[in-house]
Amino acid sequence: LKATRYWPPTAFFDEAVLFFETSEEKPPPERVGYMLRNYGVAGILGRARALLIGRPKDYTDDDLKKLKKLIVQIVAREFGRPDMPIISDVDFGHTDPKLILPMGARIKVDPVLKRLTLLESPFS
């Protein structure tokens, strides 16, 4: 939706919890970093409240380690958000089991306990 009339204004992402996943395509960590930087350059990482990363499917242990390190480096160092909670390996997206994350619903993120709590019904 980026660069179309459907893409919301940057202020839409104020206090948002962003969630990303790698899909079944299994992009290399460097490609994921490129995509994440795109959100940083657009000003979205500077406005969001937290970041959830779906558990990558079929990655090697080395790729997982590299991916997690790269995400923290991009968010904390490159875009100046060391305060942003990042929870990785969340079971949503192209993985098994799959949790459903309702878009637009209020959510509480506890990075210490790695817990997500819906604060409202997604069925309103």
Side-chain angles (χ1 to χ4, degrees), residues 35-51:
M35 291 183 260
L36 187 58
R37 284 183 184 101
N38 191 283
Y39 287 90
V41 169
I44 295 166
L45 292 180
R47 294 178 173 267
R49 185 75 171 222
L51 179 61

Side-chain angles (χ1 to χ4, degrees), residues 104-105 120-124:
E120 60 189 26
S121 172
F123 304 109
S124 54

Side-chain angles (χ1 to χ4, degrees), residues 20-50:
F20 299 108
E21 55 106 8
T22 57
S23 83
E24 72 279 0
E25 294 174 7
K26 193 184 155 199
E30 296 80 11
R31 178 79 175 133
V32 175
Y34 172 81
M35 291 183 260
L36 187 58
R37 284 183 184 101
N38 191 283
Y39 287 90
V41 169
I44 295 166
L45 292 180
R47 294 178 173 267
R49 185 75 171 222

